[in-house]
Amino acid sequence: MDASQRTVLVVEDSPLFRKMVGEFLHALGIERVLEASNGRAAMEFLAAGRPDLVCLDLTLPDVSGYDLCEYIRGTKALATVPVLMISARGTLLDRAQAEEVGADGYLTKPFSQDEFNQQVLSMLARNVKSLPGGGKNDART
């Protein structure tokens, strides 16, 4: 599946940062970028469909990124969706906690477009390999 057919959910309460992440994803050729400004909106998107990747801010106004990541990992249909945690909090404890709840990667704000691209491309490649048939003949919508 090429990048243009991917769907990425960006969960971020800052409109400017949401826009920046969306632009980075579009620059990678990803056309379907869904945006949620809080955890509840993200859960509504996730209930309606399975994205190929979730870029998840740690600090949201209603639910923590940790709790949302646990929700994703605890939902059978979403359990294998890669989660890239993004936060201004960069302590070892924050990173360890993100790993404990099942995040696949962690980026500390601010980060470069190259750092972001490396994480996203790596996670999308792993996600294809984890699909039945290695992503061949992928009939998901």
Side-chain angles (χ1 to χ4, degrees), residues 20-129:
M20 182 193 80
V21 170
E23 288 173 357
F24 285 0
L25 291 165
H26 289 300
L28 286 172
I30 297 168
E31 295 174 10
R32 290 183 287 190
V33 178
L34 306 174
E35 297 181 0
S37 61
N38 60 54
R40 280 190 204 91
M43 287 180 182
E44 289 174 18
F45 281 122
L46 293 167
R50 183 188 189 281
D52 295 291
L53 172 67
V54 176
C55 295
L56 177 59
D57 185 19
L58 183 56
T59 309
L60 298 168
D62 54 352
V63 216
S64 78
Y66 297 130
D67 291 340
L68 189 53
C69 190
E70 283 183 320
Y71 167 81
I72 292 168
R73 292 294 170 248
T75 304
K76 188 176 181 180
L78 303 170
T80 61
V81 172
V83 175
L84 174 59
M85 194 76 74
I86 299 173
S87 178
R89 295 165 37 184
T91 69
L92 289 176
L93 181 60
D94 292 319
R95 289 175 177 270
Q97 197 170 356
E99 188 175 315
E100 188 175 308
V101 296
D104 298 285
Y106 195 99
L107 276 177
T108 304
K109 297 174 188 175
F111 52 83
S112 71
Q113 187 169 359
D114 286 341
E115 289 172 300
F116 179 81
N117 291 351
Q118 286 176 348
Q119 289 266 1
V120 167
L121 293 173
S122 172
M123 287 183 192
L124 290 175
R126 282 194 311 251
N127 191 29
V128 166
K129 290 176 187 166

